[in-house]
Structures are given as C-alpha cells and as structure tokens.
Amino acid sequence: MSHKEHNRPVEVIPDEKDPILASAEIIHDPEHDRHKGPHIKGPHNPKDINPKMASDIAYWSHEFGVSGEKLHEAIRTHGTHVDKVRAALHPHHTN
C-alpha cells in the first residue's frame, strides 16, 4: 500500500545511505489525528482516569499538557483520581 492510499499527508525524508530510496514519515496534522484537536470529547469519568481507555489518556494528557507516557507514570505512582494526578503533575497549581 503506497502512502497515497492512506489519504494522509506525508513528508518524504531522503535516505543518506541510498539516495534513491526514501522513507515516508507522517506529518502530524490535527485534522487527521483522532487524539488531538478540537474534537476531543470529555473524559469517561470527570473524577477518575481509566488508564486502559485510550480516550481518557488522550483527554487527560491534553488537559494536563503532558505526554501519555508521563500521565501513565503519574497514575502508577499516585493512583487514578484526577485531583491526585493533577497535584503530582503540577504541584504548584493545586486547587
């Protein structure tokens, strides 16, 4: 399947070792990224983060301004309660 069949924008990056071959890397475009942009819906539970739900991880990582990996790390250490995770990620911004 060629990159044209994906119907997503790609950026061609030349291969220094073999200039005839090139790899394609996806350009991150919010219109084509289902986990980012204005269409992120609310969390499954506003007081608790379900680390097994990709939609919760996408929502809360965006809400807290951290990566999904950083959010998972905070959940493993501090539990799934939103206030505890928020305090762990942003200790100076507690309510």
Side-chain angles (χ1 to χ4, degrees):
M1 183 181 299
S2 75
H3 67 274
K4 290 180 183 178
E5 293 174 25
H6 287 283
N7 198 23
R8 293 183 293 194
V10 295
E11 177 180 357
V12 176
I13 302 170
D15 185 343
E16 293 177 10
K17 295 177 187 172
D18 189 349
I20 296 173
L21 297 177
S23 62
E25 184 175 305
I26 294 175
I27 297 171
H28 296 285
D29 181 352
E31 243 183 78
H32 292 87
D33 189 344
R34 64 181 179 186
H35 297 296
K36 294 181 181 173
H39 54 279
I40 293 179
K41 295 182 181 176
H44 181 70
N45 178 340
K47 295 185 179 189
D48 200 54
I49 304 168
N50 184 340
K52 294 181 181 181
M53 290 186 68
S55 60
D56 270 18
I57 296 301
Y59 176 84
W60 289 111
S61 61
H62 178 77
E63 183 72 19
F64 294 144
V66 299
S67 68
E69 185 177 328
K70 184 88 171 168
L71 179 60
H72 274 288
E73 184 181 312
I75 290 169
R76 280 192 293 275
T77 305
H78 302 281
T80 59
H81 196 274
V82 170
D83 290 339
K84 289 182 180 182
V85 174
R86 178 182 288 116
L89 292 172
H90 304 290
H92 303 316
H93 297 258
T94 56
N95 290 337

